Amino acid sequence: MDTEMRRSFPGFFKRKPRRSSVAFKSPKLSKVWKPFNFSVFLMHDNSLTTPSAEEDLLHMQAGLGKRTLTMDGDMTHSEVSSLFEGVFPKLKSISGGWLLYKAAGGNGRRHLSVVPPETEGYTGSSIKSASGGGKTMLYISPLQDKLDMAPLSTDAEEFSRMPKAECKNCKTVMPLQLLALHVAQCRKSECISGDDDDDDDDDDDLECISEAEQEICVTRQNLLQRVLLQWQRQQRGSPINQLKVTFIGEAGIDTGALRKEFLTEMVHGIELKMFEGDSKGKSPIYSVSDLESGFYRTAVEIFAVSLAQGGPPPCFLRSWCFDFISSGELNVTKADVDDVEYASLIERVEAADDVRDLTDEIINCGYTGSLTTNKKDGIIRAIVLHATLRLTPILQQLRSGLKIYDFLEVIERQPLICAPLFVPKQDDDDDTPDADYIMSIIVPDMSVKGSMRHTKETAILNFLQDFLQELQDTGLFVFFFIFIQPSTICCTGFLQGFEEFPAYTSL
């Protein structure tokens, strides 16, 4: 009916002219720069794949490898170059230019793809976009030069910002990351260079050399309990030696991958079985049997080995636990109580109209004051102290276990540098969903692959991702509800008013 009426009386059904979109353009907001951390890895040549675990260590010894930097502002290319040269002095010697690369997703060795520089070179904005706001590591690759891979001296400029410790054997001070390898070589050279040439002494030398490795041979079944016991029974090896792992019944020679897998599983298993809490941090579970067995000391020795030999950091401790380890001081609040029983008691005290109903439980926590409603703060403080003070023998055992590699001394000297290895990021960090999160929860119902509709839908998805990223980079981020139908992606309505963004006009 409507169609026929338009044909018969076109004068009455003329479409109203569309208003120019220029009048409805939203004003551009001034760009608010938010500082972010990102990781870069300086490679020694123009490789097309990411380095292996063994190559990571060689790069680190040569003053190359991974560094974590902070981008405080939208830097120019020259400022970015100065930032990189500050942590990689060898980068100053490159005369043939360099480019940034990033790796594809997945594990193991991955292919690298170039990050194209802008007209003015690499800027803070381009690095922030390429790294996903610091979530993706970038690789610096020299185009025509090859950097020297010879190990540097321990006092080299490249190691000036790294935490250091002293080798007890030769009294050499060196970066903690290199100390594990040095200790093994230092022991080996000391044994080989003995002055006594007797045959018996030769046998002793061979035995001493074999001690340069700590061997763990274990099944995957009940891994945590068996490793804690076997770790304590080690006679020929020591935690300061290089760790070699064999899983019984599985073929394979440990060249570093098995060790990393083993340490990853152990750190995760210790976190689940011996600590309690949430994503903000965890405290040790109060267990007298584990304390008497020395399992907490063994657990933290595994943490130290993991930190020194390429495993993951135990980044799950409560900040008050780390503060006690680093300084011996106890500073806790009710939010630091992870024990379910005492956390529940604190909640009941706060909600109680008459705290005398909880007299027995309160007195058991060591509170000796009057049980009145206006004394709730003192009662809660007593519960908090009771719940945390009983953990101090466990924390003392953790401190004792960190003495290997002289790691405790390093923590006491540089607590701020070492804290990120043990304490997770807190809630004051920005955890607002970003563009990557929005795209990750979209589950499109696409048309048949290869069809024209599928091609258009893919183009719209790519555009939407670029659009959201631009919103995020400019500090303007809104939540979108994306409705995806069998062959239509209804996102046009969400884009009105944002025509000034380049991605909008390029679709």
Side-chain angles (χ1 to χ4, degrees):
M1 177 68 75
D2 292 340
T3 303
E4 290 299 324
M5 291 293 288
R6 289 190 181 94
R7 288 179 181 174
S8 301
F9 306 96
F12 293 97
F13 293 93
K14 287 184 178 179
R15 294 184 178 178
K16 294 182 180 180
R18 295 181 61 183
R19 293 185 178 180
S20 173
S21 61
V22 176
F24 298 96
K25 284 187 178 180
S26 58
K28 289 188 177 181
L29 300 178
S30 59
K31 187 172 182 179
V32 178
W33 182 270
K34 183 176 181 180
F36 71 102
N37 296 329
F38 68 103
S39 298
V40 291
F41 189 107
L42 176 59
M43 300 191 295
H44 79 289
D45 65 355
N46 189 15
S47 175
L48 297 179
T49 58
T50 58
S52 64
E54 292 75 17
E55 291 172 341
D56 283 355
L57 183 58
L58 294 176
H59 278 80
M60 182 180 64
Q61 291 177 313
L64 310 178
K66 179 183 176 182
R67 299 289 190 277
T68 299
L69 306 177
T70 300
M71 188 74 72
D72 292 323
D74 191 359
M75 296 182 173
T76 62
H77 181 80
S78 60
E79 291 172 335
V80 169
S81 299
S82 299
L83 179 64
F84 289 167
E85 291 172 358
V87 293
F88 298 117
K90 286 188 177 181
L91 197 59
K92 300 175 184 177
S93 64
I94 292 180
S95 58
W98 52 268
L99 285 176
L100 290 178
Y101 290 76
K102 63 180 179 180
N107 299 317
R109 302 199 70 167
R110 293 159 291 155
H111 288 285
L112 293 172
S113 58
V114 67
V115 177
E118 299 177 350
T119 305
E120 60 271 26
Y122 290 109
T123 63
S125 296
S126 63
I127 290 176
K128 186 174 184 179
S129 178
S131 65
K135 297 178 181 178
T136 302
M137 181 184 295
L138 300 180
Y139 293 81
I140 306 174
S141 176
L143 294 178
Q144 304 176 63
D145 299 335
K146 283 192 175 182
L147 298 176
D148 185 14
M149 287 289 285
L152 299 176
S153 62
T154 56
D155 58 350
E157 181 184 357
E158 285 81 352
F159 302 142
S160 60
R161 301 185 182 184
M162 296 183 180
K164 297 178 176 61
E166 182 184 81
C167 173
K168 289 186 175 180
N169 187 37
C170 65
K171 307 302 180 183
T172 302
V173 178
M174 64 186 61
L176 184 65
Q177 292 89 334
L178 303 179
L179 186 58
L181 294 176
H182 170 80
V183 168
Q185 295 297 326
C186 191
R187 279 175 154 235
K188 185 183 296 186
S189 61
E190 181 185 32
C191 296
I192 295 176
S193 61
D195 295 330
D196 198 337
D197 295 329
D198 293 343
D199 292 339
D200 292 340
D201 289 340
D202 291 340
D203 293 338
D204 293 340
D205 288 345
L206 292 175
E207 180 179 350
C208 188
I209 293 174
S210 68
E211 290 182 0
E213 293 181 355
Q214 179 193 15
E215 296 184 3
I216 293 290
C217 186
V218 69
T219 63
R220 293 184 184 272
Q221 185 178 7
N222 197 17
L223 179 65
L224 178 62
Q225 189 71 18
R226 294 187 63 82
V227 169
L228 291 176
L229 291 171
Q230 189 172 347
W231 194 280
Q232 295 177 340
R233 294 170 181 166
Q234 287 288 315
Q235 297 178 355
R236 297 174 61 84
S238 168
I240 62 175
N241 298 335
Q242 186 175 16
L243 179 64
K244 292 289 185 181
V245 178
T246 301
F247 290 107
I248 299 175
E250 298 181 18
I253 299 176
D254 187 7
T255 58
L258 290 178
R259 176 175 68 244
K260 188 172 183 179
E261 178 186 0
F262 167 81
L263 290 172
T264 300
E265 291 189 19
M266 286 300 300
V267 171
H268 181 63
I270 291 170
E271 176 186 358
L272 292 180
K273 298 295 179 63
M274 302 179 69
F275 291 81
E276 60 182 351
D278 52 31
S279 59
K280 299 177 183 178
K282 298 184 177 182
S283 307
I285 295 176
Y286 183 69
S287 173
V288 176
S289 59
D290 287 347
L291 179 64
E292 291 183 346
S293 300
F295 284 163
Y296 282 103
R297 176 188 174 91
T298 303
V300 83
E301 286 182 356
I302 295 175
F303 292 164
V305 171
S306 182
L307 288 169
Q309 300 191 32
C315 187
F316 55 79
L317 284 184
R318 286 278 188 188
S319 58
W320 75 269
C321 294
F322 178 77
D323 291 342
F324 184 89
I325 291 173
S326 60
S327 64
E329 297 179 358
L330 188 65
N331 184 17
V332 291
T333 66
K334 64 180 181 180
D336 295 319
V337 177
D338 292 314
D339 187 281
V340 176
E341 178 183 353
Y342 293 109
S344 174
L345 179 58
I346 291 174
E347 293 178 356
R348 284 182 288 155
V349 169
E350 289 178 329
D353 294 330
D354 189 352
V355 293
R356 288 176 296 182
D357 296 337
L358 304 170
T359 299
D360 292 341
E361 294 175 85
I362 294 174
I363 291 176
N364 289 338
C365 293
Y367 180 77
T368 57
S370 58
L371 294 176
T372 57
T373 304
N374 59 353
K375 297 291 185 180
K376 280 187 178 181
D377 291 342
I379 295 172
I380 292 174
R381 184 61 181 171
I383 299 172
V384 171
L385 290 175
H386 178 75
T388 53
L389 282 173
R390 65 177 190 160
L391 298 178
T392 53
I394 295 175
L395 295 175
Q396 290 287 3
Q397 199 170 98
L398 296 181
R399 282 175 55 87
S400 178
L402 284 171
K403 290 180 180 179
I404 63 172
Y405 302 115
D406 290 330
F407 198 26
L408 180 60
E409 182 181 350
V410 176
I411 292 175
E412 291 175 339
R413 279 204 316 265
Q414 301 289 347
L416 295 179
I417 295 177
C418 297
L421 299 174
F422 295 89
V423 182
K425 292 183 178 180
Q426 303 303 309
D427 284 343
D428 52 358
D429 296 322
D430 185 16
D431 58 356
T432 303
D434 55 11
D436 292 334
Y437 173 76
I438 296 297
M439 294 303 299
S440 69
I441 63 175
I442 295 177
V443 184
D445 186 1
M446 308 287 284
S447 300
V448 178
K449 190 174 182 179
S451 64
M452 289 297 297
R453 286 185 173 182
H454 183 275
T455 303
K456 291 182 179 179
E457 292 163 2
T458 303
I460 294 178
L461 279 176
N462 291 336
F463 155 70
L464 180 60
Q465 184 177 26
D466 295 339
F467 176 73
L468 292 175
Q469 189 65 57
E470 288 186 25
L471 288 178
Q472 180 175 313
D473 291 343
T474 57
L476 176 64
F477 197 84
V478 295
F479 291 98
F480 292 91
F481 291 96
I482 309 300
F483 299 97
I484 300 181
Q485 300 174 354
S487 62
T488 306
I489 303 179
C490 303
C491 60
T492 305
F494 300 108
L495 308 181
Q496 293 178 355
F498 296 99
E499 296 90 344
E500 72 274 16
F501 289 93
Y504 183 89
T505 57
S506 66
L507 180 62

